[in-house]
């Protein structure tokens, strides 16, 4: 048997926060849709996500809550896992940076970098943003505040270890040049080059002594490893790097795709590749920096008061309404606006009116006119051929967009086919055909063509709205659902009997 091609995809490991919002779900739902799509295409996929549990911020929060940092994170991690379960996230591994395998791996990585001379000891004097766990120079501040989050920074001065980013600057630039699609979208690459590489990379402070909730440096344990060095290592520690059991690492590394939000592209396209170069490991093939979901043009946050637990939306509108919304609404790489009205718009407009309605009408007609039996009587008219061509071409179109990670466009073309089906019903007018005994074969073929188009679209929709796809397959009663089965028209079994139709999406009233 031919060995499957591998695909390793990751989403960031989250700071355990009790306040996961719809924006947080965005990265992980994208990762899930890509992982599911690649599995559908026949890849051997490994999808990694998890939690980033160390650092001063967590230590402070735990102190405020009167519990140990470990107790604090344990509770919140359970919340994160529950959220991913609610959203149908099909990760292959959930890594925690407090996992003992990860801790050991980070210690080995730090030691290796130190032994090779890429990490050295010095004194850190500078500015630190605790919420972002980021160091800044005076010139990088905006109005004296953290350029990422706009909050106050504090001055710190302490003995610390440094990582020689500067040594690798030219090699990194060359990697960008030799691999033009390493950073996507291109605008983010330009940002990295102009804002960070051209002004000159400074060595990075990679240890702290002013708090202790972190991974101790194995040979100097008053230092803990800087959280970003700790966090980035998860992508290889999760695969067993530097352990005896490194089969996953051998199989899946280098990573095919790191999906990250735009504000952490810097860590993934500068610090991470340089860590890998220093470890003499191959670099990831691509880092995709997506935009944010924003509310009224601004951030989603509890303090602003526009935060709602995403599980509320799932309870009200259904998991696939939420998944579909975030995948469809945010254009490639840019920011997208979230509001409950916009979510309702998509649910009513696309899911209820176009998809739900089509499935419901088609099954309803099959039951009404043919006792549920769908047969291809091979009558043919020009408008049939037009629809068939659109259906057969869909797979390649979706593939082209998914290859470029233009998920919103991929969904758009799937819905274009569904729209064409609704138009095909209007044009062929099955209810008129049903009045004429001589048109029975024609009516049967019309319904067959519709059913086959629904099947083709649903095979692809499995990657994006998996629950709904399963419901549709059940209603149209088929198990011909493989990717290969949609390369040509006619996979739906002629003579099949459909099940009763159930409403897939209720139309929702505006708030
Ligand atoms: N712990 C780091 C990642 C370390 S990866 C080695 C981190 N965590 S985070 O919890 O702050 O963010 C996790 C992901 O959520 C990031 O990709 C971030 O961009 C994303 N989002 C947080 N708010 C968002 C929106 N409002 N919209 C879209 N994505 C957003 O960063």
């Amino acid at each position: 048997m031919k060995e499957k091609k591998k695909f390793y995809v990751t989403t960031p490991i989250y700071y355990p926060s009790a306040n996961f919002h719809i924006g947080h779900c965005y990265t992980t739902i994208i990762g899930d849709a890509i992982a599911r799509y690649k599995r559908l295409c026949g890849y051997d996929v490994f999808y990694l996500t998890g939690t980033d549990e160390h650092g001063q911020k967590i230590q402070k929060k735990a102190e405020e809550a009167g519990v140990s940092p470990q107790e604090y994170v344990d509770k919140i991690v359970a919340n994160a896992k529950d959220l991913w379960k609610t959203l149908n996230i099909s990760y292959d591994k959930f890594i925690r940076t407090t996992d003992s395998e990860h801790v050991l791996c980070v210690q080995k990585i730090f030691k290796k970098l130190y032994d090779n001379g890429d990490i050295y000891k010095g004194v850190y004097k500078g500015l630190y943003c605790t919420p972002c766990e980021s160091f800044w120079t005076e010139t990088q501040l905006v109005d004296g505040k953290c350029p990422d989050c706009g909050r106050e920074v504090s001055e710190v001065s302490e003995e610390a270890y440094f990582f020689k980013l500067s040594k690798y600057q030219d090699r990194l630039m060359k990697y960008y040049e030799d691999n033009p699609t390493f950073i996507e979208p291109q605008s983010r690459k330009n940002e990295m080059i102009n804002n960070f590489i051209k002004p000159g990379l400074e060595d990075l402070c990679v240890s702290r002594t002013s708090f202790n909730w972190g991974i101790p440096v194995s040979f100097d344990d008053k230092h803990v490893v800087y959280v970003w060095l700790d966090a980035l290592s998860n992508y290889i520690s999760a695969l067993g790097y530097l352990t005896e059991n490194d089969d996953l690492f051998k199989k899946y590394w280098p990573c095919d795709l790191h999906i990250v939000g735009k504000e952490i592209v810097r860590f993934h396209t500068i610090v991470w590749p340089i860590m890998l170069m220093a470890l003499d490991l191959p670099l990831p093939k691509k880092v995709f920096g997506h935009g944010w979901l924003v509310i009224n043009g601004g951030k989603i946050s509890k303090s602003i008061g526009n935060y709602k637990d995403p599980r509320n939306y799932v309870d009200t509108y259904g998991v696939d309404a939420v998944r579909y919304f975030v995948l469809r609404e945010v254009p490639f790489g840019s920011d997208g606006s979230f509001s409950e009205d916009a979510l309702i718009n998509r649910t009513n407009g696309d899911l209820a009116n176009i998809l739900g309605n089509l499935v419901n009408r088609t099954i309803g007609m099959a039951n009404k006119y043919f006792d549920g039996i769908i047969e291809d009587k091979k009558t043919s008219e020009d408008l049939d051929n037009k629809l068939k061509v659109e259906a057969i071409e869909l797979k390649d179109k979706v593939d082209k967009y998914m290859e470029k990670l233009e998920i919103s466009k991929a969904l758009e073309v799937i819905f274009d086919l569904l729209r064409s089906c609704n138009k095909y019903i209007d044009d062929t007018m099955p209810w008129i055909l049903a009045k004429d005994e001589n048109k029975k074969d024609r009516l049967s073929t019309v319904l067959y063509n519709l059913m086959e188009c629904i099947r083709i679209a649903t095979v692809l929709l499995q990657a994006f709205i998996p629950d709904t796809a399963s419901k549709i397959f059940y209603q149209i009663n088929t198990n011909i659902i493989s990717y290969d089965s949609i390369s040509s028209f006619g996979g739906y079994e002629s003579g099949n009997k459909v099940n009763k139709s159930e409403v897939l999406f209720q139309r929702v009233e505006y708030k």
Side-chain angles (χ1 to χ4, degrees), residues 165 168-169 171-173 175-176 181-185 188-193 196-197 201 228 232 235 258 260-277 283-284 286-289:
L165 290 188
Y168 290 91
Q169 164 154 343
R171 260 179 78 183
L172 182 66
M173 197 55 212
Y175 188 78
Y176 284 8
T181 56
F182 171 56
I183 308 177
E184 299 261 20
R188 308 239 186 267
K189 173 161 108 185
N190 302 337
E191 220 177 286
M192 291 304 118
I193 296 176
F196 298 102
I197 302 187
L201 291 180
W228 270 100
L232 289 163
Y235 299 130
H258 290 306
V260 302
K262 59 182 179 181
E263 83 288 12
I264 57 173
V265 168
R266 184 165 67 96
F267 295 101
H268 286 83
T269 58
I270 296 176
V271 181
W272 181 226
I274 292 183
M275 278 173 72
L276 292 164
M277 284 177 190
L283 267 51
K286 192 187 288 297
V287 176
F288 174 68

Side-chain angles (χ1 to χ4, degrees), residues 28 45 70 103 114 142 177 217 256 415-416 442 454 458 483 489 507 511:
T28 309
V45 172
Q70 189 65 55
V103 170
Y114 180 76
V142 176
E177 279 160 11
V217 172
D256 295 274
F415 275 75
D416 281 346
R442 175 68 194 142
I454 291 172
T458 309
Y483 186 66
F489 200 88
R507 280 186 60 84
K511 296 245 154 176

Side-chain angles (χ1 to χ4, degrees), residues 25 59 69 105 133 182 217 225 236 263 266 284 296 306 325 339 342 344 361 376 428 432 445 454 464 472 475 507:
C25 303
Q59 186 165 339
C105 181
E133 309 277 15
F182 171 56
V217 172
V225 177
I236 48 179
E263 83 288 12
R266 184 165 67 96
N296 296 329
N306 57 11
F325 176 85
S339 70
I344 294 174
R361 276 165 100 188
D376 183 7
T428 51
I432 305 282
T445 302
I454 291 172
F464 311 97
I472 297 174
Q475 292 186 18
R507 280 186 60 84

Side-chain angles (χ1 to χ4, degrees), residues 22 44 59 61 71 73 78 87 105 247 338 351 377 402 409 434 497:
I22 187 81
D44 174 346
Q59 186 165 339
K61 285 199 167 178
E71 283 170 320
V73 289
L87 289 169
C105 181
D247 293 351
F338 178 80
L351 297 174
K377 299 282 190 183
M402 289 305 282
K409 287 250 176 69
K497 188 173 187 328

Side-chain angles (χ1 to χ4, degrees), residues 11-16 20-27 52 57 228 231-235 259-264 268 290-294 299-300:
T11 43
I13 47 173
Y14 284 70
Y15 294 128
F20 279 110
H21 55 62
I22 187 81
H24 288 123
C25 303
Y26 179 58
T27 315
D52 184 359
K57 191 168 54 179
W228 270 100
L232 289 163
S233 306
N234 93 89
Y235 299 130
I259 304 166
V260 302
K262 59 182 179 181
E263 83 288 12
I264 57 173
H268 286 83
H290 66 70
W292 281 355
L293 272 179
V294 294
K299 278 198 145 185
I300 309 173

Side-chain angles (χ1 to χ4, degrees), residues 233-250:
S233 306
N234 93 89
Y235 299 130
I236 48 179
S237 74
L239 302 179
Y241 174 61
L242 294 180
T243 67
E244 274 177 16
N245 185 4
D246 62 355
D247 293 351
L248 288 176
F249 179 74
K250 287 190 186 125

